[in-house]
Amino acid sequence: MSSTSRSYVIDSLKGLAIIAVIFFHIGLLTFGYLGVEIFLVLAGFLTAKSIIRAFEENKFSYWKFIQNRLVRLWPLAIIICVVSLVLGYFVMLPDNFKNLSETVLGTLSFTNNFIQYITARNYWDVSNDYKPLMHTWYVGILFQFYVVYPLLLVLMHRFTKQWKRSSIILSTCIGFASLILYLLPFIPQPIDFFMLPSRMFEFMLGAVIAFLPYSDNEKSCINKKIIAAIAILSLILATGFDIDQAKIILILTVALTGWILYKTSQTTDVSTGWNIQWLVKIGAASYSIYLWHQVVFAFYRNTISDSFSLWEYVGLISGSIILGFLSFLFVEKPLSSFIKSQKHAKRIILLCCVVSTTFLGYISYKIYVHKGVVRDIPALEIYKDKPETWEPQAYNANVYNYDIDFPSNGKKNILIVGDSYARDWYNILCEAHVNSRMNLSYHDQQDSILNDRIKYADYVFLASSKDMSLFFKYLPKMMRKQFYIIGTKRFFYSPGVIYNSSPKQVEIYDDIVETNKAYAEEFQDSYIDIMAALKTKDDMCLIVTPDNKLISHDGIHLTKAGAKYIASKLNVDTYFDKDASNK
């Protein structure tokens, strides 16, 4: 197959991959993230191909290889970091801006997969939709592959005569080990998704396919049937694990991509179906489109709306592709032409990248240590000269000081049980000054300590954002006391939209209404509906206090102003008017 024909196939695969990723990130294609798997297989194929060619021409240099990859990846990554920081400065709340500074550092250093592993953990968490640079974890894992794999091929080339055969065996063994690691049921999902060892089997499949045509020229050529046998063995082993549907689909996607590459590399005839010009062009610009699309989507979700109409879908998808093409035409291609026309172009580009990265890294570090607070936000009682005012987590964490046994002082005992929703309820009670006349105790574990504290409690409040059934085995004991269950709550998904559009009230989500309705029917007089305290006459949810303070900083938990306002609306003293004797 000619190089031109091969480029049609590869660019078409890239085009399909980037379209799938775009539709996934905008919420229209559940398995669209598998487009990244196609990119990883192609990266393994193209990397091995270029190294083989360089070795055959006696031109391979590991440092030049890394230099070429940096020149390819780094400039555009720096540009999207600059744009994101500038936009974030004006429209992001401190928590999101602080997170952006972390991902800028990760993007600039090609370690954002580690940052995402530490901070995000779950790739499918809805909060990732609002992070402009969340997706550059892929660029990090790609560059890490560029650093590691060529070193292994250098060793094969230097110390073995039949280095291509040895490289196939090595690549196959690495890929097989990586696949097993990916399938192991006790490996945490974030490691499977964000870490190179669990991703190497995808790279290695592409690399082995790149080596196969060249291995035919060696006397001791490895039999392709052995490769097929190992692949079949991998699938047999995979069936021995209790793996979920997502992993099966991912493996099938990787296998299909490998099969297409293998079949097209074995023939000189390529179907005209691969030469779809618009798809090939999208594939050629896929790196630019990949980097820009999430920036567009995230900032739209942070500033305009986090739910899209048909025309918003069309506008955002087409807009991100157009922006990617413009980036390809006016950034990638000019840089490529500059490199070809100037002898020291790569050194100049890398020097500019180092200087820019140092400057942006310093700015990002300052944003991080300043907790993302870069301007006054009176609605959240945040002030630039006092960055510690942005401490909603600290306010919500005060309750941990009360994870203690009840003192013997003659006062009534209140036990608060649950997760962060229970901690919100603790803040409501404190804002109502209940803690000044009663003993408060908090616990969030299902253990013997909880049993003991229920025993000595007069009042028990249960609240949880997760499965409430975790605490149901304690209900008989709890309900012998004066017992209340706190309803669920959610005010909005995107704090950025609320901050930038400044609405006074929002619609109440249907799932919140249904859940609270079920609680009310089951627990009746023992049920407390926090959302009802904020409900307006037209069945909307108030999200701003009368003195223009936001009730929630993240759409789920309460600010101090929110806790104080709800305490006054609920009149919490009425919950303690009843006799606290056993029911």
Side-chain angles (χ1 to χ4, degrees):
M1 184 176 70
S2 69
S3 60
T4 301
S5 298
R6 183 174 292 111
S7 69
Y8 288 153
V9 175
I10 291 174
D11 283 340
S12 295
L13 286 172
K14 287 182 178 179
L16 290 172
I18 190 59
I19 290 172
V21 171
I22 287 175
F23 274 71
F24 170 73
H25 281 152
I26 206 167
L28 292 177
L29 190 60
T30 302
F31 289 100
Y33 66 91
L34 294 172
V36 172
E37 323 311 323
I38 298 175
F39 282 129
L40 297 183
V41 176
L42 292 176
F45 177 83
L46 294 171
T47 299
K49 203 81 172 173
S50 67
I51 293 174
I52 293 168
R53 188 180 301 113
F55 272 132
E56 288 190 333
E57 297 174 356
N58 293 318
K59 293 180 179 179
F60 182 77
S61 165
Y62 176 76
W63 299 113
K64 286 185 178 179
F65 176 86
I66 296 298
Q67 183 185 71
N68 289 338
R69 268 53 192 178
L70 283 172
V71 168
R72 162 79 172 135
L73 300 176
W74 214 354
L76 199 53
I78 290 172
I79 291 174
I80 66 165
C81 286
V82 171
V83 171
S84 296
L85 282 174
V86 171
L87 292 177
Y89 178 88
F90 292 103
V91 303
M92 280 186 166
L93 292 173
D95 193 40
N96 289 338
F97 199 43
K98 179 183 177 182
N99 178 269
L100 176 62
S101 71
E102 294 173 332
T103 54
V104 166
L105 291 170
T107 300
L108 294 173
S109 60
F110 301 102
T111 58
N112 202 30
N113 57 321
F114 290 96
I115 300 295
Q116 294 305 306
Y117 170 73
I118 295 170
T119 61
R121 302 292 289 176
N122 182 8
Y123 177 74
W124 288 269
D125 191 288
V126 69
S127 64
N128 288 327
D129 291 342
Y130 304 91
K131 299 175 181 178
L133 301 180
M134 170 274 299
H135 62 316
T136 64
W137 69 267
Y138 159 72
V139 182
I141 209 170
L142 183 63
F143 186 73
Q144 290 153 31
F145 168 73
Y146 288 152
V147 171
V148 173
Y149 187 61
L151 282 177
L152 299 177
L153 297 189
V154 168
L155 293 175
M156 293 297 101
H157 186 265
R158 179 169 297 181
F159 296 109
T160 62
K161 292 182 179 180
Q162 296 176 343
W163 75 276
K164 294 173 185 174
R165 177 178 180 272
S166 299
S167 296
I168 291 179
I169 295 173
L170 177 65
S171 300
T172 303
C173 291
I174 292 173
F176 183 66
S178 173
L179 179 60
I180 296 301
L181 179 65
Y182 176 71
L183 294 174
L184 289 175
F186 53 82
I187 300 296
Q189 183 270 338
I191 290 180
D192 279 342
F193 198 90
F194 291 117
M195 294 298 149
L196 180 61
S198 296
R199 293 291 195 162
M200 281 297 282
F201 74 93
E202 300 168 83
F203 288 112
M204 292 300 96
L205 177 60
V208 169
I209 293 169
F211 269 105
L212 286 178
Y214 295 92
S215 67
D216 288 336
N217 297 325
E218 298 187 3
K219 293 181 180 180
S220 300
C221 169
I222 188 169
N223 196 317
K224 295 183 181 67
K225 292 181 180 179
I226 297 177
I227 301 294
I230 293 176
I232 293 171
L233 177 61
S234 299
L235 293 176
I236 292 173
L237 286 174
T239 61
F241 294 100
D242 183 18
I243 57 176
D244 57 25
Q245 181 187 30
K247 286 190 175 183
I248 294 174
I249 294 175
L250 184 147
I251 292 172
L252 290 175
T253 301
V254 171
L256 178 60
T257 305
W259 180 81
I260 293 172
L261 280 177
Y262 176 76
K263 294 299 290 184
T264 53
S265 66
Q266 299 299 307
T267 179
T268 57
D269 179 35
V270 179
S271 170
T272 55
W274 285 112
N275 192 7
I276 304 174
Q277 285 299 307
W278 65 268
L279 187 62
V280 171
K281 289 180 179 179
I282 288 177
S286 59
Y287 180 60
S288 278
I289 296 172
Y290 181 86
L291 287 189
W292 282 110
H293 82 279
Q294 177 61 15
V295 176
V296 172
F297 295 170
F299 276 108
Y300 193 89
R301 285 183 168 115
N302 271 291
T303 57
I304 308 299
S305 175
D306 55 357
S307 59
F308 307 140
S309 66
L310 173 62
W311 289 113
E312 284 174 309
Y313 278 119
V314 172
L316 287 169
I317 292 171
S318 58
S320 63
I321 293 175
I322 291 171
L323 181 59
F325 265 117
L326 292 174
S327 174
F328 175 68
L329 293 174
F330 297 106
V331 178
E332 288 193 70
K333 293 192 79 171
L335 283 176
S336 179
S337 299
F338 177 59
I339 291 170
K340 292 176 181 178
S341 63
Q342 298 293 327
K343 183 178 180 181
H344 300 294
K346 292 180 183 178
R347 293 181 182 178
I348 295 171
I349 292 172
L350 289 178
L351 178 61
C352 292
C353 288
V354 169
V355 173
S356 300
T357 294
T358 302
F359 178 68
L360 290 174
Y362 174 76
I363 291 176
S364 298
Y365 172 75
K366 296 295 288 185
I367 293 170
Y368 179 83
V369 298
H370 214 251
K371 306 181 187 300
V373 180
V374 293
R375 62 187 179 280
D376 293 345
I377 307 177
L380 285 169
E381 300 181 275
I382 298 170
Y383 302 99
K384 182 179 178 181
D385 58 343
K386 295 180 179 179
E388 66 276 6
T389 53
W390 175 249
E391 288 293 349
Q393 292 86 354
Y395 178 68
N396 199 245
N398 285 336
V399 68
Y400 289 113
N401 296 323
Y402 286 84
D403 194 350
I404 55 176
D405 293 334
F406 294 112
S408 299
N409 55 13
K411 295 180 179 180
K412 296 291 186 179
N413 296 329
I414 300 173
L415 176 61
I416 304 167
V417 182
D419 57 15
S420 60
Y421 280 19
R423 297 192 283 274
D424 274 334
W425 181 250
Y426 159 84
N427 286 331
I428 290 172
L429 294 183
C430 289
E431 295 301 335
H433 307 294
V434 173
N435 58 323
S436 65
R437 61 183 187 275
M438 297 185 186
N439 299 319
L440 267 61
S441 177
Y442 166 76
H443 201 63
D444 61 352
Q445 301 297 315
Q446 303 88 46
D447 53 21
S448 59
I449 295 175
L450 180 58
N451 267 322
D452 291 340
R453 293 190 188 168
I454 293 173
K455 180 179 178 181
Y456 294 104
D458 296 300
Y459 304 90
V460 178
F461 294 91
L462 173 62
S464 179
S465 62
K466 301 175 183 176
D467 187 358
M468 196 76 80
S469 64
L470 294 173
F471 296 95
F472 278 5
K473 66 179 180 180
Y474 299 94
L475 277 182
K477 292 182 180 179
M478 290 181 179
M479 296 184 75
R480 294 191 189 105
K481 310 294 180 175
Q482 187 67 45
F483 170 74
Y484 296 96
I485 191 165
I486 312 301
T488 191
K489 63 185 189 302
R490 191 194 312 119
F491 312 108
F492 46 81
Y493 279 110
S494 174
V497 169
I498 298 301
Y499 168 71
N500 287 291
S501 58
S502 302
K504 300 293 184 182
Q505 56 188 28
V506 295
E507 293 184 3
I508 302 175
Y509 294 104
D510 291 340
D511 62 322
I512 299 297
V513 172
E514 292 301 318
T515 301
N516 284 334
K517 182 179 178 182
Y519 283 152
E521 292 175 353
E522 183 171 359
F523 294 98
Q524 300 181 19
D525 291 342
S526 294
Y527 165 70
I528 299 174
D529 187 356
I530 289 180
M531 296 294 291
L534 302 172
K535 196 172 183 179
T536 64
K537 293 180 180 179
D538 51 354
D539 290 333
M540 299 285 280
C541 178
L542 189 70
I543 58 171
V544 178
T545 66
D547 56 347
N548 292 317
K549 300 292 189 295
L550 280 170
I551 285 170
S552 174
H553 65 279
D554 61 0
I556 299 175
H557 302 104
L558 301 176
T559 60
K560 185 173 183 177
K564 186 175 181 179
Y565 180 72
I566 291 175
S568 66
K569 295 294 290 183
L570 286 177
N571 190 14
V572 297
D573 287 341
T574 60
Y575 303 122
F576 306 105
D577 287 342
K578 298 178 182 179
D579 180 17
S581 61
N582 293 349
K583 291 185 177 180

